Amino acid sequence: MASLVADVAMSRAWIRTPLRLMSLQQQARKSNQNIQVYVRVRPLNARERCIRSAEVVDVLNPREILTRHTLDSKLTKKFTFDRSFGPESKQCDVYAVVVSPLIEEVLSGYNCTVFAYGQTGTEQNRTDIR
């Protein structure tokens, strides 16, 4: 099982096979694997609060977020994830839901990867569990 913790939607990825190109989703169905995508909306930082920046990403429920260009914008986009975490969530909350369940699978001999990324300068760390 692979998990992706991200602050943007994942683009379509491809795996090269000897016979043809196969999407990750097709590969997952064929090999009984899956990819899960999680998002954590970070809180405004001190600078953003100081200049009174508006929060333009709302967590609607544990699976969906809503984005808008400006605070007053009527144009919005909704994104669905396996799980979404709001700005009040802590790193330990994300770990407990995303990474902790994979530890038992790794100890049972399964390959698991957690790929986390975020905006440059947000002090994110990358850890591979194999």
Side-chain angles (χ1 to χ4, degrees):
M1 177 184 295
S3 296
L4 177 68
V5 180
D7 59 355
V8 294
M10 187 174 70
S11 62
R12 176 172 256 170
W14 297 90
I15 295 175
R16 179 174 288 283
T17 63
L19 299 175
R20 62 188 174 108
L21 288 176
M22 185 181 299
S23 75
L24 282 177
Q25 188 174 25
Q26 292 167 332
Q27 180 72 16
R29 279 194 298 260
K30 187 172 185 179
S31 62
N32 199 24
Q33 298 176 2
N34 64 43
I35 295 175
Q36 297 175 351
V37 182
Y38 299 84
V39 65
R40 178 180 182 212
V41 178
R42 69 169 178 79
L44 296 177
N45 61 32
R47 180 183 171 279
E48 292 165 333
R49 284 191 307 272
C50 182
I51 63 173
R52 298 179 187 261
S53 294
E55 293 188 21
V56 294
V57 179
D58 293 320
V59 177
L60 299 177
N61 60 54
R63 293 182 47 95
E64 295 179 320
I65 65 169
L66 184 75
T67 63
R68 57 189 171 280
H69 185 63
T70 63
L71 187 59
D72 300 329
S73 178
K74 300 217 185 303
L75 179 63
T76 62
K77 290 187 179 182
K78 189 188 309 187
F79 297 93
T80 303
F81 298 90
D82 289 293
R83 175 74 191 267
S84 59
F85 297 89
E88 71 287 343
S89 66
K90 304 291 181 217
Q91 193 66 24
C92 60
D93 300 331
V94 176
Y95 178 86
V97 172
V98 178
V99 179
S100 184
L102 299 178
I103 301 299
E104 193 65 39
E105 291 188 31
V106 168
L107 294 175
S108 297
Y110 293 97
N111 292 325
C112 299
T113 300
V114 175
F115 178 75
Y117 69 96
Q119 181 178 352
T120 302
T122 56
E123 300 178 22
Q124 71 274 11
N125 294 314
R126 185 187 74 202
T127 303
D128 291 332
I129 302 172
R130 297 193 191 234

